[in-house]
Amino acid sequence: MTNDQAYPQEADAGPVLARGLSRKIMRHRWFMLFVVLPSLLATIYYGFIASDIYVSEARFVIKSPSRQQSQTSSFANLIQTTGLSEGQQQTHEVIDYLRSRDALADLSRRIDVKARFMASEIDPLSRFPAPLRENSFENLHKYFNKMVDVHLDHDTSNAVMTVKAFNPDDAYILNEYLLQLSEQLVNRLNGRANRQAIVEAEKRVAIAEDRVRAARINFGQYRNSSELLDPQQQAKGVLEISSGLEAQRAALQAQIATIARITPSNPSLPALRQQVAAISAQIAAQNLQVVGSNSGIASKLSGYEANAVEQEFATQMLTTASASLERARADAQRQQFYLERIVQPDKPDQAILPARLKQILTVIGVSLCLYLVGWMLIVGILEHAPED
């Protein structure tokens, strides 16, 4: 009788434990849903499913072989206006390029980027395209930017590029090709800057030539209209003639005075006086050519000097523009900026991502925090709820 009564009690122990476990689960169902379940899924995914990720790193900087000479170029002037040092602006341009669609398109022409991220060995959550995402270039670019990180190290002013892939060879190849594309970009920037500098210098030379040509034509027309070839030489000639006439007049006046004192009635005196009057008229006419009338050399001198200054200034401008053109052509013969690899891209021998334990602990921590916040929020609402 005793054994018969004990057997049903042992047989009911299983259902009792199940009911107890079920009650505990129901009592802590929200904790199980928001903390235990995400943590369990994260543990399964990062512990058994997530693919290994290899990271290849490279460092580079943009340098100029001759800082002093490059400062005279238009490319460097453009940099100076931005307040950045030489090469730093180019480094930013390279970084922007590596993050752009152009870089992905250029890289895809060399290797099949999409195929390397769509391999069947990659877990479904990590491979491209992500679940519920289309296999488009736009999504590939977003995915690519998650796998390739390029930033400027402000302590060293070097650009740091890290490439993530699912095997060491892909990480190394992608990093190497991206560096080669960056070097090509720097060369294109050099070529573009040189072409722009030459074009601008040629325009300045053309403008200077037109100005010299116009100055010479205007100067020639002014000389013809004013009948003035060289005011200094012409004024000097007039003054020499005037001085000679004055000397001649003084000699005649002395002769007239002598004859008038000795023989006042000498018949040659009237002729000599007429000769003196004629010489005086010639002296006045010569002086009038220099000063005293609107047609005098002095009145034309300001216009002459203005045309002469304009011609001289235009000639100097042409000389300067020609020198700038020759300098721009010389600069185009050498490389102004180049990409120097501080750290070559490496081929990783060990996967460092995903940091599985770190990811699992992160999920547990975040889930627990969210659960506690939600629990405190609900408790607060219930405490302040009005009692019926």
Side-chain angles (χ1 to χ4, degrees):
M1 183 66 180
T2 304
N3 294 334
D4 295 340
Q5 292 177 348
Y7 179 76
Q9 291 178 355
E10 293 178 356
D12 293 339
V16 170
L17 292 175
R19 285 195 297 272
L21 181 60
S22 177
R23 282 196 297 271
K24 288 183 179 179
I25 291 176
M26 289 302 295
R27 185 183 305 169
H28 302 288
R29 59 186 181 279
W30 299 116
F31 181 81
M32 301 293 290
L33 180 63
F34 290 101
V35 178
V36 176
L37 182 60
S39 301
L40 182 61
L41 294 176
T43 303
I44 294 173
Y45 175 72
Y46 288 108
F48 304 100
I49 300 175
S51 301
D52 290 336
I53 298 177
Y54 297 83
V55 180
S56 175
E57 180 181 302
R59 293 173 179 261
F60 62 90
V61 66
I62 308 300
K63 288 187 174 181
S64 172
S66 176
R67 292 177 177 273
Q68 185 175 2
Q69 292 179 356
S70 62
Q71 286 177 352
T72 60
S73 67
S74 58
F75 201 20
N77 292 335
L78 177 62
I79 298 165
Q80 290 175 354
T81 57
T82 62
L84 298 176
S85 62
E86 288 185 34
Q88 197 171 7
Q89 174 69 18
Q90 286 70 28
T91 304
H92 284 286
E93 292 177 353
V94 171
I95 292 175
D96 291 340
Y97 165 75
L98 291 173
R99 294 171 178 169
S100 68
R101 293 173 177 77
D102 290 344
L104 178 58
D106 294 339
L107 184 63
S108 299
R109 295 187 188 97
R110 295 193 171 196
I111 58 175
D112 193 349
V113 179
K114 185 183 295 185
R116 293 174 185 269
F117 291 129
M118 294 179 68
S120 58
E121 297 81 9
I122 306 173
D123 71 89
L125 295 181
S126 300
R127 79 167 69 115
F128 174 81
L132 305 180
R133 290 293 185 89
E134 296 180 358
N135 183 5
S136 63
F137 184 81
E138 183 67 25
N139 288 334
L140 178 62
H141 178 247
K142 294 178 181 177
Y143 182 89
F144 182 75
N145 280 339
K146 293 179 181 177
M147 304 301 288
V148 177
D149 177 66
V150 190
H151 64 273
L152 186 67
D153 188 342
H154 295 286
D155 294 334
T156 61
S157 297
N158 297 332
V160 181
M161 179 167 63
T162 56
V163 178
K164 294 184 287 186
F166 298 97
N167 63 69
D169 293 334
D170 287 349
Y172 168 76
I173 291 173
L174 290 173
N175 205 335
E176 174 63 27
Y177 281 162
L178 286 174
L179 278 179
Q180 292 180 9
L181 291 174
S182 301
E183 291 172 345
Q184 293 179 0
L185 174 65
V186 174
N187 293 333
R188 288 201 302 272
L189 292 176
N190 281 328
R192 186 188 309 168
N194 291 332
R195 287 192 297 273
Q196 290 178 352
I198 292 175
V199 170
E200 291 175 0
E202 289 177 343
K203 288 181 179 177
R204 289 196 294 270
V205 169
I207 293 173
E209 289 176 345
D210 293 340
R211 186 166 182 174
V212 169
R213 190 179 301 108
R216 289 179 177 175
I217 292 174
N218 293 334
F219 201 11
Q221 292 176 349
Y222 181 81
R223 281 173 167 169
N224 292 331
S225 62
S226 62
E227 298 179 351
L228 191 65
L229 183 61
D230 188 342
Q232 293 183 353
Q233 294 298 326
Q234 288 184 244
K236 183 178 179 181
V238 171
L239 291 176
E240 287 178 352
I241 294 174
S242 179
S243 298
L245 291 173
E246 287 180 354
Q248 187 177 356
R249 184 178 62 180
L252 289 174
Q253 288 175 344
Q255 184 180 358
I256 291 172
T258 302
I259 294 174
R261 186 175 62 252
I262 298 174
T263 56
S265 59
N266 193 310
S268 63
L269 288 175
L272 291 174
R273 290 192 178 96
Q274 290 179 357
Q275 190 174 356
V276 169
I279 292 173
S280 297
Q282 291 182 2
I283 292 174
Q286 291 296 324
N287 291 335
L288 198 60
Q289 292 183 13
V290 180
V291 294
S293 67
N294 294 331
S295 61
I297 295 175
S299 62
K300 301 175 182 177
L301 191 60
S302 59
Y304 179 90
E305 290 177 347
N307 281 277
V309 169
E310 171 62 20
Q311 179 174 309
E312 183 179 358
F313 181 77
T315 303
Q316 292 179 355
M317 190 176 72
L318 177 60
T319 303
T320 303
S322 300
S324 299
L325 177 59
E326 293 302 322
R327 186 166 56 250
R329 288 172 176 168
D331 290 341
Q333 301 300 320
R334 63 174 179 271
Q335 191 179 27
Q336 294 183 354
F337 294 91
Y338 64 93
L339 186 147
E340 181 172 337
R341 300 186 181 191
I342 306 300
V343 177
Q344 293 284 354
D346 58 339
K347 183 182 292 186
D349 57 356
Q350 182 179 0
I352 61 175
L353 294 176
R356 302 178 187 277
L357 181 59
K358 179 181 178 182
Q359 296 294 341
I360 293 172
L361 294 177
T362 300
V363 172
I364 294 174
V366 172
S367 301
L368 190 59
C369 289
L370 291 176
Y371 172 78
L372 292 176
V373 170
W375 178 77
M376 293 175 66
L377 183 62
I378 293 174
V379 170
I381 293 174
L382 293 176
E383 286 181 351
H384 294 82
E387 296 181 356
D388 294 335

